[in-house]
């Protein structure tokens, strides 16, 4: 049974491989892609996403979303993904354009057009989802669940405690975690372990066109190294959808810190229930790394 999904993304090199998996994993029925500012500017994340859809000749609509976080200035991750956000591969020119409506409206329209509740998958900052919930709160009932790459029950990757997707827009993340949505949180606890090894990466150029393109991008991706392993943060969100058996989840109350001078963007994951609050997320705490690697190899082999 293929699951209808909407993917919100800020490509982003690890976003690119997650988009490949969302397109070619048999469990996923990708209906809409929306872009958000994060790794790089909205203009660049949108250009990158359109280039990827054109690369795969994918007939998927794309709507561009928020150019800035709800309240804060954008802090990007060009140091990890390159100035373009997807450094390393020369995509051919194309005439694709985003839809003429903003992402939160395109998400609403797609949800309402679906005969069944859909899954939102977010692999960037949560600004677009927060805007959707603010403009169209009734959409909550059309969303089966939200699967995110974001947060951490432990250490962060942009500050000592905060993970990038949450830290870029803590106010949006707080809105989402307080929304009542069913949330699956794939944070750094699992995504830092979800690595592709140098041995596997070396096979990509000979795998298929997708492998050759991803290998070129990965050569410029700075979350790890091509000579050891690379962290596939965003791919985990699709991996959970396709193979939930690879993950161990725990229902937890998660609060997003928005005020702390040193801690804003922290997902406070109450693993032991010390705050006596009802759980508002299923938090992924463990991953079967070898199983993830085998799945990733299988799904990339399904791409052209
Ligand atoms: O912390 C990892 C996340 O930040 C990933 O989504 C990556 O693409 C960057 O956006
Ligand atoms: Ca991302």
């Amino acid at each position: 049974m293929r699951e209808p999904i909407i993917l919100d993304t800020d490509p982003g090199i690890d976003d690119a491989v997650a988009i490949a998996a969302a397109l070619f994993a048999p469990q996923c029925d990708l209906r809409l892609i929306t872009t958000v500012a994060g790794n790089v500017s909205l203009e660049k994340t949108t250009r990158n996403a359109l280039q990827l859809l054109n690369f795969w000749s994918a007939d998927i609509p794309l709507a561009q979303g928020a150019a800035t976080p709800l309240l804060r200035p954008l802090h990007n991750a060009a140091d990890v993904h390159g100035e373009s956000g997807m450094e390393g591969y020369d995509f051919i020119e194309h005439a694709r354009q985003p839809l003429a409506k903003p992402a939160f409206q395109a998400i609403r329209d797609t949800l309402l057009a679906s005969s069944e509740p859909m899954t939102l998958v977010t692999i960037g900052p949560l600004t677009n989802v927060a805007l959707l919930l603010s403009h169209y709160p009734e959409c909550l009932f059309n969303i089966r669940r939200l699967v995110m790459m974001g947060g951490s029950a432990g250490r962060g990757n942009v500050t000592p405690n905060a993970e990038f997707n949450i830290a870029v827009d803590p106010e949006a993340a707080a809105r989402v975690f307080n929304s009542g949505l069913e949330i699956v949180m794939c944070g750094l606890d699992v995504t830092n372990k979800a690595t592709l090894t140098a041995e596997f990466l070396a096979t990509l150029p000979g795998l298929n066109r997708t492998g050759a393109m991803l290998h070129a991008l990965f050569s410029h991706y700075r979350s790890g190294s091509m000579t050891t392993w690379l962290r596939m943060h965003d791919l985990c969100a699709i991996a959970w959808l396709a193979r939930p058996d690879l993950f161990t989840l725990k229902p937890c109350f998660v609060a997003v810190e928005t005020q702390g001078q040193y801690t804003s963007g922290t997902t406070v994951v109450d693993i032991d229930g010390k705050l006596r609050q009802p759980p508002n997320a299923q938090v992924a705490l463990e991953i079967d790394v070898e199983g993830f690697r085998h799945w990733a190899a299988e799904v990339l082999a399904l791409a052209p």
Side-chain angles (χ1 to χ4, degrees):
M1 175 67 179
R2 296 176 71 220
E3 178 149 9
I5 68 171
I6 294 170
L7 180 64
D8 190 68
T9 178
D10 63 333
I13 293 173
D14 63 322
D15 300 68
V17 61
I19 293 168
L23 283 169
F24 301 108
Q27 298 88 349
C28 295
D29 175 10
L30 180 58
R31 304 270 182 90
L32 172 70
I33 285 189
T34 53
T35 53
V36 65
N39 283 319
V40 288
S41 69
L42 176 68
E43 179 192 5
K44 292 178 180 177
T45 60
T46 302
R47 183 203 58 206
N48 293 340
L50 287 169
Q51 285 176 331
L52 290 168
L53 290 177
N54 191 63
F55 178 86
W56 287 306
S57 305
D59 184 16
I60 306 287
L62 179 145
Q64 63 180 350
T68 65
L70 294 182
L71 301 180
R72 299 171 189 242
L74 176 66
H75 292 289
N76 71 28
D79 58 324
V80 176
H81 301 268
E83 278 308 311
S84 71
M86 265 183 10
E87 219 60 52
Y89 185 83
D90 290 330
F91 292 90
I92 60 171
E93 293 300 313
H94 63 83
R96 286 177 183 244
Q97 291 293 324
L99 296 174
K101 54 183 140 179
F104 71 85
Q105 199 165 353
I107 294 171
R108 172 202 180 246
D109 295 349
T110 304
L111 289 170
L112 294 185
S114 174
S115 59
E116 60 185 305
M118 298 179 70
T119 292
L120 286 189
V121 181
T122 64
I123 54 177
L126 290 163
T127 317
N128 290 337
V129 180
L131 290 170
L132 171 78
L133 296 173
S134 298
H135 285 82
Y136 304 114
E138 70 280 5
C139 278
L140 264 177
F141 303 105
N142 302 81
I143 300 168
R144 180 181 177 190
R145 59 197 166 183
L146 186 151
V147 183
M148 72 168 70
M149 189 282 133
S152 169
R155 310 295 288 170
N157 61 0
V158 284
T159 68
N161 303 91
E163 179 277 326
F164 179 82
N165 288 338
I166 309 298
V168 165
D169 197 340
E171 287 73 21
R175 177 83 180 78
V176 171
F177 277 96
N178 295 335
S179 68
L181 272 175
E182 185 183 325
I183 293 171
V184 173
M185 179 183 129
C186 297
L188 297 177
D189 317 278
V190 294
T191 69
N192 275 341
K193 298 174 186 171
T195 55
L196 296 182
T197 64
E199 293 72 23
F200 173 72
L201 295 168
T203 69
L204 285 176
L207 178 65
N208 51 32
R209 282 179 63 234
T210 295
M213 181 267 287
L214 290 175
H215 186 272
L217 296 181
F218 287 157
S219 306
H220 293 260
Y221 177 48
R222 295 287 170 269
S223 189
S225 157
M226 288 288 270
T227 58
T228 52
W229 34 256
L230 289 174
R231 298 184 191 95
M232 296 292 118
H233 299 289
D234 290 338
L235 188 56
C236 283
I238 307 299
W240 184 82
L241 274 176
R243 289 286 308 278
D245 59 296
L246 296 176
F247 296 82
T248 305
L249 305 184
K250 184 174 174 43
C252 299
F253 171 70
V254 178
V256 179
E257 177 58 57
T258 60
Q259 306 299 317
Q261 179 181 354
Y262 298 107
T263 55
S264 76
T266 300
T267 44
V268 180
V269 179
D270 189 10
I271 292 176
D272 302 320
K274 294 190 187 313
L275 298 175
R276 303 193 186 291
Q277 295 288 326
N280 58 349
Q282 295 279 347
V283 178
L285 295 174
E286 295 296 335
I287 183 172
D288 170 356
V289 175
E290 288 311 314
F292 170 82
R293 288 170 175 167
H294 287 303
W295 170 80
E298 285 169 1
V299 77
L300 291 179
L302 297 174

